[in-house]
């Protein structure tokens, strides 16, 4: 075989490998996934548990960093009028925790409304109770909620549309703070239940 | 979502036959479900296969239990999950479109009191003026999670 033919075959081989490699990548799940130890999306470098103060659904002041310090904490920003993303996310979390009783005993799920104009404490409580009576709900003024979002380093929620039936664009991920008060992973909408079940027991053990 | 659907045997199908679209031409609607609201709003999810000869354009949904709006959840470049109103969902001949959590869906505003297992009646509205009657089963949001 001539050198020209061998070179041609090498080129063909490279093209085939690159093409199939790309196809393999594109055909893999589009769902979010981390790498290495965790299935969630990695936060690098890990972020410290944020410091903000809001009001819980009983009307009491809730200092997030103080109340959740040393606990596996799952923080989510959403709103009760959300018909699609928020309830599916929260339902999935409740379902995951049902399957992980050890994690459920130790973990705190905190839901912060990004719709202070409509979400009262009672309304948030009723909404969360549809998933778990143990979920913590927080409300506040627009300024307080914006401060909380900035502290948690999520994009600030945006009201969309006019009238009573507006929607709110908001961060879609749940941020997981380990007991050592650092967040290593987050879980965007679409995270598979198996990813949660894999990661949460690992995160629960991160006490130092 | 479909795996769970098959497990609990709640697959519902509605077929609309179009005399003008040739023999056997139809729209097939599967897996129509309404999530049991946790607040006052909810959503309708389903799949539609266009077995007609022409492009079909879904422009709305009518039901007595809520005010429906076609919406799509999208993630913006800065990481916000947003819901955008959709004027129409075009379905080409032979194409199947899935209205699912986190994507295209029919938002249901101010939903009437429902129970798990209830059946919600309604009609899909098409740009052609046709209507497709459907029955959607009321399920828990847990059943819709990835």
């Amino acid at each position: 075989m001539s050198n020209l033919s061998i070179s041609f075959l090498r080129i063909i081989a490279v093209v085939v490998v690159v093409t199939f490699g790309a196809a393999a990548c594109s055909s893999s799940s589009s769902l979010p996934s981390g790498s290495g130890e965790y299935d969630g999306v990695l936060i690098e470098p890990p972020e410290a548990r944020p410091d903000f103060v809001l009001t819980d659904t009983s009307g009491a002041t809730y200092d997030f960093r103080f109340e959740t310090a040393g606990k596996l904490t799952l923080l989510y920003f959403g709103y009760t009028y959300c018909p699609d993303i928020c309830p599916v996310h929260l339902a999935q979390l409740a379902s995951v925790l049902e399957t992980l009783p050890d994690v459920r005993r130790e973990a705190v799920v905190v839901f912060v409304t990004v719709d202070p104009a409509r979400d009262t404490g009672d309304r948030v409580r009723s909404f969360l109770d549809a998933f778990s009576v143990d979920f913590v709900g927080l409300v506040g003024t627009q300024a307080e909620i914006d401060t909380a979002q900035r502290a948690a380093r999520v994009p600030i929620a945006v009201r969309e549309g006019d009238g009573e039936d507006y929607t709110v664009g908001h961060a879609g991920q749940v941020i997981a703070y380990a007991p050592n008060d650092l967040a290593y992973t987050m879980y965007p909408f679409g995270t598979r239940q198996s990813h949660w079940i894999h990661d949460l027991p690992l995160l629960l053990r991160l006490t130092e | 979502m479909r795996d769970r659907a098959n497990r609990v045997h709640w697959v519902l199908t509605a077929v609309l036959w179009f005399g003008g679209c040739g023999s056997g031409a139809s729209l097939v609607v599967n897996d129509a479900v309404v999530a049991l609201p946790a607040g006052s709003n909810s959503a309708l999810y389903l799949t539609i296969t266009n077995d007609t000869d022409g492009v079909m354009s879904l422009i709305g949904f009518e039901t007595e239990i809520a005010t429906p709006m076609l919406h799509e959840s999208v993630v913006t470049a800065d990481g916000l999950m947003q819901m955008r109103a959709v004027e129409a969902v075009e379905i080409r001949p032979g194409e199947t479109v899935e209205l699912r959590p986190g994507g295209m869906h029919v938002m249901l505003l101010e939903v009437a009191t429902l129970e798990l297992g209830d059946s919600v009646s309604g009609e899909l509205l098409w740009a052609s003026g046709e209507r497709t009657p459907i029955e959607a089963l009321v399920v828990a949001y847990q059943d819709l999670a990835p």
Side-chain angles (χ1 to χ4, degrees):
Chain A
M1 192 176 290
S2 70
N3 287 340
L4 187 62
S5 299
I6 291 172
S7 297
F8 178 73
L9 288 174
R10 282 177 177 161
I11 291 170
I12 294 293
V14 168
V15 168
V16 168
V17 167
V18 170
T19 302
F20 278 86
C25 288
S26 62
S27 64
S28 65
S29 170
S30 61
L31 293 167
S33 178
S35 59
E37 190 174 4
Y38 302 108
D39 284 345
V41 176
L42 295 181
I43 298 173
E44 293 180 307
E47 291 178 0
R49 190 179 297 271
D51 189 9
F52 60 85
V53 178
L54 291 168
T55 303
D56 71 17
T57 52
S58 73
T61 298
Y62 193 93
D63 181 327
F64 177 81
R65 191 156 69 175
F66 176 78
E67 295 283 354
T68 64
K71 299 173 183 172
L72 175 59
T73 308
L74 305 169
L75 175 63
Y76 184 58
F77 293 86
Y79 67 114
T80 71
Y81 284 80
C82 181
D84 185 43
I85 302 293
C86 304
V88 176
H89 236 338
L90 292 168
Q92 186 185 39
L93 261 182
S95 185
V96 165
L97 292 174
E98 283 290 324
T99 67
L100 298 170
D102 291 346
V103 174
R104 186 182 175 197
R105 267 194 301 276
E106 304 294 331
V108 183
V109 176
V110 177
F111 172 89
V112 178
T113 181
V114 291
D115 186 11
R118 293 184 297 191
D119 280 347
T120 62
D122 287 346
R123 186 174 176 86
V124 169
R125 185 69 268 150
S126 172
F127 176 73
L128 292 178
D129 284 352
F131 309 105
S132 171
V133 295
D134 295 327
F135 286 2
V136 174
L138 299 181
V139 300
T141 65
Q142 187 67 63
E144 290 170 338
I145 290 166
D146 289 351
T147 297
Q149 291 173 97
R150 276 192 282 272
R153 296 175 179 271
V154 298
I156 302 294
V158 178
R159 176 174 165 162
E160 296 156 346
D162 300 320
E164 294 179 355
D165 295 329
Y166 63 87
T167 60
V168 182
H170 61 91
Q173 70 270 37
V174 176
I175 305 169
Y177 298 94
N180 65 4
D181 296 332
L182 291 174
Y184 298 87
T185 52
M186 61 180 175
Y187 301 86
F189 184 81
T191 297
R192 293 194 175 282
Q193 191 146 325
S194 59
H195 291 177
W196 286 107
I197 290 172
H198 174 268
D199 283 7
L200 292 184
L202 296 176
L203 294 171
L204 187 61
R205 291 201 288 267
L206 295 176
T207 55
E208 295 182 356
Chain B
M1 182 170 124
R2 189 162 296 118
D3 290 345
R4 288 171 188 242
N6 290 336
R7 270 206 306 276
V8 296
H9 308 293
W10 51 252
V11 176
L12 299 175
T13 301
V15 179
L16 178 66
W17 297 90
F18 287 95
C21 296
S23 176
S26 64
L27 284 165
V28 181
V29 179
N30 282 310
D31 303 346
V33 294
V34 167
L36 183 70
S40 50
N41 297 344
S42 177
L44 166 73
Y45 306 107
L46 44 71
T47 60
I48 307 170
T49 299
N50 180 5
D51 283 340
T52 74
D53 298 334
V55 174
M56 294 298 294
S57 190
L58 178 68
I59 58 169
F61 178 66
E62 274 187 8
T63 179
E64 291 183 355
I65 62 111
T67 303
M69 298 175 73
L70 276 178
H71 265 79
E72 181 177 25
S73 296
V74 294
V75 182
T76 64
D78 53 359
L80 285 179
M81 294 287 310
Q82 290 184 314
M83 258 183 283
R84 294 179 179 162
V86 174
E87 287 191 7
V89 180
E90 286 203 341
I91 312 173
R92 295 185 298 274
E95 185 184 13
T96 297
V97 168
E98 187 179 8
L99 278 63
R100 58 180 171 73
M104 206 88 72
H105 59 276
V106 178
M107 183 162 76
L108 300 173
L109 303 173
E110 299 299 331
V111 181
T113 301
L114 297 173
E115 303 274 348
L116 286 176
D118 282 353
S119 181
V120 171
S121 301
E123 289 185 323
L124 300 173
L125 311 180
W126 303 93
S128 61
E130 309 277 357
R131 290 167 169 258
T132 306
I134 67 165
E135 295 286 330
L137 195 72
V138 177
V139 300
Y141 272 108
Q142 277 88 341
D143 293 329
L144 302 170

